[in-house]
């Protein structure tokens, strides 16, 4: 197997808050291959965004990365110097966010916002930047790009703004795109269009995509592989088809069970017993799902099976639901 | 009862958590004591001049020194507390009634009442406030009462707006609707349901504007309006000492100015603290 | 753009009408009969009635108001009782002094307070953050005339760095040829370095006094809005795009953060114009504020009225300018208007 586009290995992040230290991520490991679309799913607060921010190096000041590596093209992003990171960010790895309307500068023309990134990362002269920005708007399916480039975000619809975000993210042709709930708040048709644009750009350029979502149904449709997170841990990773056919972690199983027809949003369903544990607690059980888990063993409080960051599959459970399906080990 | 107790506990918590507010509270007590007891405890008669002891620097005998007429500045500063505080409190109480009531009426009744009150507020806001206060005092006559009135008028928009928006929010509230349905008249509802709920917010507003009221009144007397010499008042005392700053007798203007500053500082801090107690949401 | 300016002008008109009405009502509230005052204590009933007719105070209020408005339209503000001079003329000659002081003060406060607020927000916990916090609490409590006097004591009496705090120019120098009335500009136009430096030296303390007075609200607002903007989604986007930190802070964060600061500037101006009067008195500055103060003491109403009117008109105009500046920066206001 070729080197993955991104390898995250044993990543831990803590937040210093007034009410104590929040252990937001602990030992998070996963990888994404070139050209692959990896979905990261989990309840609200499970640490999906924090993982993405840590990789991008845009965690806020209260956060500290306490362990781990995030290797992209031979460079450990977590250990890289500020200058090196500034080169990588936006060029090698780009990110698009939820809420496209607020994610764009409200008082700058969208064409200029794209041009800012082009000037920074792509070898583009100031004279050519506006033209290049218009071309990019065209590639993300914006009609009348010449006029739209002169628009301000408030003059565009949410879907339009998200296309602009994609254009910004793709401006420097990154090798990895992280999309953090890129379609939340958009209507279903627009959702599909946005996801199509991302998929189309990814397959055109061989870019890897990490797609963060609440929506297990959307993940099922769009992802090659799915990583399931719970309370700052990666609990399971499998190929999409296999995950739905044979969920092995009790949490994954509960998640899928709570998703009728794989179409509803997780957030709207409350059939998973219990809540996320308080991540500020001084002593959390080794498996953070233990308190909610119907299959809990005594060992779950004290140890957690480690996962191989380079493997396509992962499982952090002492008492999984069913044995892995045959012929998967290869 | 229990809400009172918990409010008290919250107040104690805020004071304990926030030493600055506690400090301001201490200062406030001192100021009030000076206002009440000042004239009977000061070492010298604040009006008695003694030209043989004129322009003396601060010493053990005259803590804050003496002025050009040999009057004891410490005694004058302390005695002035009562007048300065009185002007500020009177003007704030006046605007509390004027602005609070018209704001409540505007917010509760809406319609033309609202339009008139807001138009008045907007018109006042169209002036630089201190300049308007000067104009009002000039027109109505140069007296302490008119300084109080002018200070109240320039603060009117602030109170009217706060009261209006609070009344507006509460007009829609369920319990007001319930009171109305059970046959209560507007006046009754305003007096029993709306005003009691708005008063804490207006009280915070009062302590926040006290500082400004003191500054405004002192500014007016600094330029020679309202209080007349030889009455001890901080603004006038600073004005009297101004000429001596260039010849090095700094204490004449310095101590009344310092008193003024401390009083304003105290009320500003107190206002912030009080706001935290009454309305923790707006904490910054 | 033009529609924005037009709209704001339309909004300023009710304020101006309000100002005219209020200044008129203030004249009518004058204690006593101005005609009797004019005529002097020895005048007969007959003479007073004549003056009353001449002043128009025997007419119904609405007629008097009409006359007041038409006088204003012709730039007529009446005459000073004490000097007999035209108030409008006097104000016109003194206005540049006040305007120069206020504008330099305003510039100074923006130059000081905005960087303070930005640094405090981008470096939380640093010394500049603490200084900003102290200044913005203590600053609002300082009576402006007191600050002025302290500066005089320190910089004139103690250190001898600044000239005697009297007026706009050293008495031994003559004013630069009148072009704008702003000594700094006129001296620069006349290429008179000596006068320029002398005028600047006179100006610096009063302008600094005004700036210290207005420092607190602007620094506080800059800090708060910069903090809010720095944690906004679009700044995160800009960071995630790898834009340089100067680009993020200047083009993305600051241009957005400056909007609430501009709004605050409007409020600060109200205080600044008021404080101007006090500063003029402390520094014997020959502006319209000291003109009004002198008239106030002499119970000479016309100059005060002219002063109040001028200041209010100035304030309305400056607010208009602020609104337009806001619209220039914020397309949401510009385009939707
Ligand atoms: N700035 C912060 N300060 C303190 N704790 C934080 C901060 N940001 C995130 N956290 C904590 O980190 C944990 C993970 O948050 P994160 O935003 O990554 O969740 P998420 O999986 O993205 O959820 P969502 O689906 O709601 O976006 C949460 O428990 C949250 O409380
Ligand atoms: Mg998230």
């Amino acid at each position: 197997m070729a080197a993955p586009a991104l390898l995250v290995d044993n990543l831990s992040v803590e937040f210093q808050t007034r009410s104590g230290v929040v252990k937001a991520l602990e030992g998070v490991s996963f990888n994404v291959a070139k050209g692959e679309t990896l979905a990261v799913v989990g309840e609200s607060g499970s640490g999906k965004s924090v993982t993405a921010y840590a990789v991008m190096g845009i965690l806020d000041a209260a956060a500290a990365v306490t362990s781990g590596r995030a290797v992209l093209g031979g460079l450990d992003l977590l250990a890289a110097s500020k200058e090196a990171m500034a080169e990588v960010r936006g060029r090698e790895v780009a990110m698009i966010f939820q809420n496209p309307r607020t994610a764009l500068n409200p008082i700058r023309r969208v064409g200029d916002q794209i041009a800012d990134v082009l000037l920074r990362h792509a070898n583009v002269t100031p004279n050519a930047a506006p033209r290049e920005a218009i071309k990019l708007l065209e590639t993300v399916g914006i009609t009348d790009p010449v006029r739209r480039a002169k628009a301000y975000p408030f003059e565009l619809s949410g879907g339009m703004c998200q296309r602009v975000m994609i254009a910004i993210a793709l401006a420097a042709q990154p090798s990895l795109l992280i999309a953090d709930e890129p379609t939340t708040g958009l209507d279903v048709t627009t959702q599909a269009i946005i996801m199509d644009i991302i998929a189309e750009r990814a397959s055109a350029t061989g870019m890897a995509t990490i797609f963060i979502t609440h929506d297990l149904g959307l993940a099922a449709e769009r992802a090659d592989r799915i990583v399931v997170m719970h309370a700052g841990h990666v609990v399971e990773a499998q190929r999409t088809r296999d995950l739905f056919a044979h969920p092995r972690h009790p949490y994954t199983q509960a998640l899928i069970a709570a998703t009728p027809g794989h179409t509803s949003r997780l957030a709207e369903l409350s059939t998973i017993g219990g809540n996320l544990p308080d991540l500020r607690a001084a002593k959390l059980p080794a498996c953070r799902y233990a308190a909610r888990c119907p299959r809990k063993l005594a060992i779950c409080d004290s140890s957690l099976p480690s996962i191989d960051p380079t493997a396509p599959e992962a499982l952090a459970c002492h008492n999984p639901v069913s044995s892995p399906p045959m012929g998967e080990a290869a | 009862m229990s809400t009172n107790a918990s409010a008290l506990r919250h107040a104690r918590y805020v004071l304990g958590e926030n030493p600055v507010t506690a400090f301001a509270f201490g200062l406030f007590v001192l100021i009030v004591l000076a206002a009440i007891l000042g004239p009977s405890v000061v070492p010298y008669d604040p009006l008695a001049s003694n030209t043989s002891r004129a322009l003396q620097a601060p010493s053990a005998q005259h803590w804050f020194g003496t002025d050009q007429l040999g009057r004891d500045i410490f005694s004058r500063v302390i005695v002035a507390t009562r007048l300065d505080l009185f002007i500020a409190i009177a003007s704030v109480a006046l605007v509390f009634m004027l602005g609070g009531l018209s704001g409540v009426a505007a917010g509760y009744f809406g319609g033309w009442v609202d339009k008139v009150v807001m138009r008045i507020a907007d018109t006042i806001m169209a002036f630089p406030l201190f300049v308007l206060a000067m104009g009002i005092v000039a027109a109505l006559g140069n007296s302490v009462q008119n300084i109080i009135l002018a200070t109240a008028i320039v603060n009117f928009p602030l109170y009217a707006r706060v009261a209006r928006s609070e009344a507006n929010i509460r007009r829609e509230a369920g319990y007001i609707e319930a009171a109305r349905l059970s046959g209560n008249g507007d006046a009754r509802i305003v007096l029993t349901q709306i005003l009691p709920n708005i008063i804490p917010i207006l009280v915070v507003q009062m302590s926040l504007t006290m500082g400004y009221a003191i500054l405004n009144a002192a500014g007016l007397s600094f330029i020679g309006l309202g209080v007349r010499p030889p009455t001890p008042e901080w603004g006038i005392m600073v004005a009297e000492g101004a000429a001596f700053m260039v010849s090095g007798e700094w204490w004449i203007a310095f101590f009344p100015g310092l008193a003024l500053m401390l009083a304003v500082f105290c009320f500003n801090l107190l206002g912030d603290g009080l706001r935290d107690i009454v309305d923790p949401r707006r904490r910054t | 753009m033009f529609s924005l300016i037009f709209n704001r002008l339309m909004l300023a008109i009710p304020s101006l009408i309000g100002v005219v009405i209020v200044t008129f009502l203030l004249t009518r509230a004058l204690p006593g009969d101005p005609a009797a005052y004019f005529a002097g204590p020895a005048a007969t009933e007959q003479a007073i009635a004549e003056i009353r007719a001449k002043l128009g105070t025997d007419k119904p209020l609405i007629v008097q108001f009409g006359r007041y408005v038409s006088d204003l339209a012709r730039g007529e503000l009446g005459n000073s009782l004490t000097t007999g001079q035209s108030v409008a003329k006097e104000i016109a000659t003194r206005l540049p002094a006040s305007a120069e002081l206020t504008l330099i003060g305003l510039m100074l406060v923006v130059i000081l307070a905005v960087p303070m607020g930005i640094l405090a927000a981008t470096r939380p916990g640093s010394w500049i953050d603490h200084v900003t916090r102290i200044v913005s609490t203590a600053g609002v409590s300082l009576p402006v005339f007191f600050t002025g006097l302290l500066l005089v004591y320190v910089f004139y009496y103690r250190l001898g760095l600044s000239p005697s705090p009297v007026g706009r120019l050293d008495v031994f120098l003559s004013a630069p040829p009148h072009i704008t009335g702003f000594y700094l500009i006129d001296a620069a136009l006349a290429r008179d370095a000596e006068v320029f430096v002398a005028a600047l030296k006179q100006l610096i303390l009063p302008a600094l006094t005004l700036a210290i007075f207005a420092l607190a609200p602007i620094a506080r607002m800059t800090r708060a809005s910069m903090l809010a903007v720095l944690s906004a989604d679009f700044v995160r986007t800009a960071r995630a795009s790898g834009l340089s930190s100067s680009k993020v802070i200047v083009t993305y964060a600051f241009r957005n953060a400056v909007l609430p600061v501009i709004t605050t500037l409007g409020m600060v101006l109200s205080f600044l114009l008021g404080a101007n009067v006090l500063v003029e008195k402390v520094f014997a500055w020959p502006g319209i504020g000291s003109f009004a103060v002198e008239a106030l003491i002499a119970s000479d109403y016309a100059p005060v009225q002219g002063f109040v009117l001028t200041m209010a008109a100035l304030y309305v105009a400056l607010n208009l300018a602020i609104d337009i500046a806001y619209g220039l920066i914020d397309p949401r206001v510009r385009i939707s208007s």
Side-chain angles (χ1 to χ4, degrees), chain B residues 57-266:
Chain B
S59 63
Q61 261 161 28
H62 298 282
W63 292 355
F64 292 177
T66 60
D67 66 9
Q68 72 282 13
L69 298 176
R71 295 173 298 193
D72 179 51
I73 293 176
F74 175 72
S75 305
R76 287 175 64 76
V77 166
I78 297 293
V79 169
T81 313
R82 185 182 287 180
L83 179 57
D84 277 88
L85 209 57
F86 167 74
I87 293 176
I89 290 176
S91 71
V92 167
L94 188 62
V95 67
F96 176 78
M97 313 238 287
L98 290 178
L101 281 180
S102 19
V104 166
Y108 184 77
F109 295 111
W112 67 267
V113 183
D114 190 21
K115 285 217 180 69
V116 169
V117 172
M118 284 302 110
R119 179 48 63 201
I120 293 175
D122 285 346
T123 304
I124 293 175
M125 294 295 283
F127 289 88
L129 296 182
F130 185 74
V131 170
L132 180 62
M134 282 172 67
I136 292 171
V137 177
L140 299 184
N142 192 348
S143 68
V144 173
Q145 288 92 305
N146 288 334
I147 289 221
I148 293 172
L149 185 63
T151 307
I153 289 176
V154 299
N155 270 321
F156 176 86
L158 215 60
Y159 283 74
R161 287 201 176 144
V162 170
R164 173 178 177 265
S165 72
E166 294 293 332
N168 225 331
I169 296 167
R170 290 194 162 66
R171 185 171 62 150
E172 315 296 338
Y175 62 96
I176 302 292
E177 199 52 39
R180 196 178 295 144
L181 287 178
S182 55
N184 286 302
D186 282 334
R188 206 184 145 75
I189 292 176
V190 168
L191 287 179
T192 62
Q193 305 284 338
I194 296 200
L195 266 185
N197 278 304
I198 292 181
I199 280 177
I201 292 154
L202 285 183
V203 167
V204 171
Q205 197 66 48
M206 277 172 81
S207 67
L208 283 172
T209 40
M210 268 297 279
Y212 175 68
I214 294 177
L215 277 183
N216 197 67
L220 290 172
S221 53
F222 179 79
I223 58 175
L225 292 179
V227 189
R228 307 277 164 93
T231 317
E233 190 276 341
W234 295 332
I236 280 208
M237 291 173 71
V238 176
E240 287 171 348
F244 295 94
M245 272 295 189
V246 289
S247 51
E249 287 92 2
W250 53 273
W251 56 89
I252 306 178
F254 178 78
F255 289 106
L258 189 68
L260 197 52
M261 194 187 108
L262 282 179
V264 177
F265 192 50
C266 163

Side-chain angles (χ1 to χ4, degrees), chain C residues 46-96:
Chain C
Q46 171 82 33
I48 293 176
E50 266 170 25
I51 294 180
R52 208 176 278 146
K54 201 172 138 219
L55 287 175
T57 48
D58 58 339
K59 304 258 168 43
L61 218 54
I62 186 76
V63 177
Q64 293 185 40
F65 182 67
R67 196 172 142 177
Y68 175 69
V69 172
S70 76
D71 278 353
L72 277 186
R74 283 181 287 113
E76 181 58 56
L77 294 173
N79 291 328
S80 160
L81 276 183
T82 43
T83 64
Q85 296 291 315
S86 150
V87 170
K89 229 186 203 158
E90 184 81 24
I91 284 183
T93 49
R94 282 167 169 265
L95 189 58

Side-chain angles (χ1 to χ4, degrees), chain A residues 13-17 20 22-25 41-53 59-63 98 180-181 212-214 229 231-232 276-277 279:
Chain A
V13 171
E14 293 181 355
F15 284 92
Q16 216 71 44
T17 71
V22 179
K23 298 190 187 110
L25 297 184
V41 301
E43 283 165 283
S44 193
S46 54
K48 308 180 297 286
S49 299
V50 171
T51 307
Y53 293 173
L59 284 168
D60 64 41
Q98 181 179 346
D180 189 354
E181 307 191 27
I212 295 173
T213 182
H214 275 130
M229 288 188 69
L276 284 179
L279 300 182

Side-chain angles (χ1 to χ4, degrees), chain A residues 53 56 58 86 89-91 93-95 97-99 102-109 112-114 116-117 120-121 152 154-155 165 168, chain C residues 124 232-244 247 251-259 328-336:
Chain A
Y53 293 173
M56 294 294 297
I58 54 169
R89 222 184 278 135
R91 176 172 304 177
V93 44
M95 184 157 176
F97 301 89
Q98 181 179 346
N99 256 331
T102 56
L104 291 171
N105 187 344
I107 61 171
R108 194 160 173 79
R109 295 178 198 278
D112 293 343
Q113 297 190 45
I114 300 173
D116 285 341
V117 181
R120 174 79 181 82
H121 292 303
Y152 292 94
F154 77 97
E155 298 175 283
M165 275 299 302
I168 288 176
Chain C
D233 286 357
F234 62 86
V235 168
R236 190 186 55 192
T237 306
R239 289 225 169 94
S241 315
L243 299 185
S244 66
K247 183 96 187 168
T251 313
Y252 281 70
F254 180 67
R255 289 222 359 213
N256 279 280
V258 83
L259 292 171
L328 283 179
I329 297 180
D330 191 344
R332 289 163 293 192
V333 175
R334 183 169 66 225
I335 292 170
S336 57

Side-chain angles (χ1 to χ4, degrees), chain A:
Chain A
M1 198 175 97
L6 175 74
L7 175 75
V8 174
D9 179 9
N10 194 31
L11 170 64
S12 302
V13 171
E14 293 181 355
F15 284 92
Q16 216 71 44
T17 71
R18 213 175 285 178
S19 52
V21 175
V22 179
K23 298 190 187 110
L25 297 184
E26 189 180 70
V28 167
S29 297
F30 64 89
N31 62 76
V32 52
K34 290 187 175 123
E36 184 186 33
T37 299
L38 177 79
V40 178
V41 301
E43 283 165 283
S44 193
S46 54
K48 308 180 297 286
S49 299
V50 171
T51 307
Y53 293 173
V55 170
M56 294 294 297
I58 54 169
L59 284 168
D60 64 41
V65 175
T66 51
S67 79
R69 305 182 294 151
V71 183
L72 178 113
L75 178 72
D76 179 2
L77 304 181
L78 303 180
S81 67
K82 256 190 168 164
E83 295 73 36
M85 249 342 256
E87 290 302 311
V88 169
R89 222 184 278 135
R91 176 172 304 177
E92 288 300 320
V93 44
M95 184 157 176
I96 56 184
F97 301 89
Q98 181 179 346
N99 256 331
R101 283 175 166 288
T102 56
L104 291 171
N105 187 344
I107 61 171
R108 194 160 173 79
R109 295 178 198 278
V110 296
D112 293 343
Q113 297 190 45
I114 300 173
D116 285 341
V117 181
L118 284 169
L119 285 171
R120 174 79 181 82
H121 292 303
N123 264 329
V124 173
T125 62
N127 280 334
R131 231 175 315 123
E132 290 298 315
I134 290 168
K135 267 193 215 153
L136 270 168
L137 284 176
E138 216 163 1
T139 61
V140 294
I142 287 186
T143 52
D144 199 357
V146 178
R147 194 168 56 86
R148 290 279 162 57
K150 290 210 168 11
Y152 292 94
F154 77 97
E155 298 175 283
L156 302 176
S157 68
M160 263 328 159
C161 286
Q162 196 58 294
R163 290 175 206 233
V164 173
M165 275 299 302
I166 296 174
I168 288 176
L170 299 182
Q173 308 209 333
S175 55
L176 172 67
L177 175 71
I178 303 178
D180 189 354
E181 307 191 27
T183 60
T184 313
L186 301 179
D187 65 80
V188 181
T189 332
T190 316
Q191 264 186 22
I193 296 172
I194 294 292
M195 292 308 297
D196 283 343
I197 294 171
I198 295 176
E200 191 258 317
R201 297 316 303 161
S203 71
T205 60
M207 171 180 79
T209 309
I210 295 176
F211 169 44
I212 295 173
T213 182
H214 275 130
D215 188 337
L216 214 50
L218 202 57
E221 272 173 48
R222 299 287 175 172
D224 303 318
R225 220 152 40 90
I226 296 180
V227 168
V228 181
M229 288 188 69
H230 174 267
H233 285 169
V234 166
V235 295
E236 181 168 5
Q238 284 206 68
R239 290 237 183 80
T240 304
R241 193 168 7 98
D242 300 336
L243 189 90
F244 283 95
H246 308 284
R248 287 182 284 174
H249 196 286
Y251 178 64
T252 314
Q253 191 185 35
L255 265 186
I256 293 173
T259 314
H262 302 178
T263 51
S264 290
R265 300 257 176 88
L266 279 178
E268 291 161 11
L269 296 163
S270 51
T271 41
I272 306 177
N275 291 315
L276 284 179
D278 183 354
L279 300 182
R280 283 167 308 186
K283 265 191 74 66
L284 285 166
C287 172
R288 292 179 175 181
Y289 190 58
R292 309 165 77 182
C293 184
R295 303 173 60 84
K296 176 179 182 287
L297 305 175
I299 191 175
C300 297
D301 281 334
S302 55
S303 93
L304 191 69
S306 64
I307 54 182
D308 176 0
T310 57
E313 281 114 33
L315 177 63
C317 186
H318 288 294
N319 189 14
V321 179
S322 53
S323 55
M326 306 225 292
E328 202 57 71

Side-chain angles (χ1 to χ4, degrees), chain C residues 194-207:
Chain C
E194 190 191 9
V195 170
F196 183 87
V197 170
L200 188 64
K201 275 187 169 169
Q202 295 292 138
L203 188 58
I204 202 83
L205 280 195

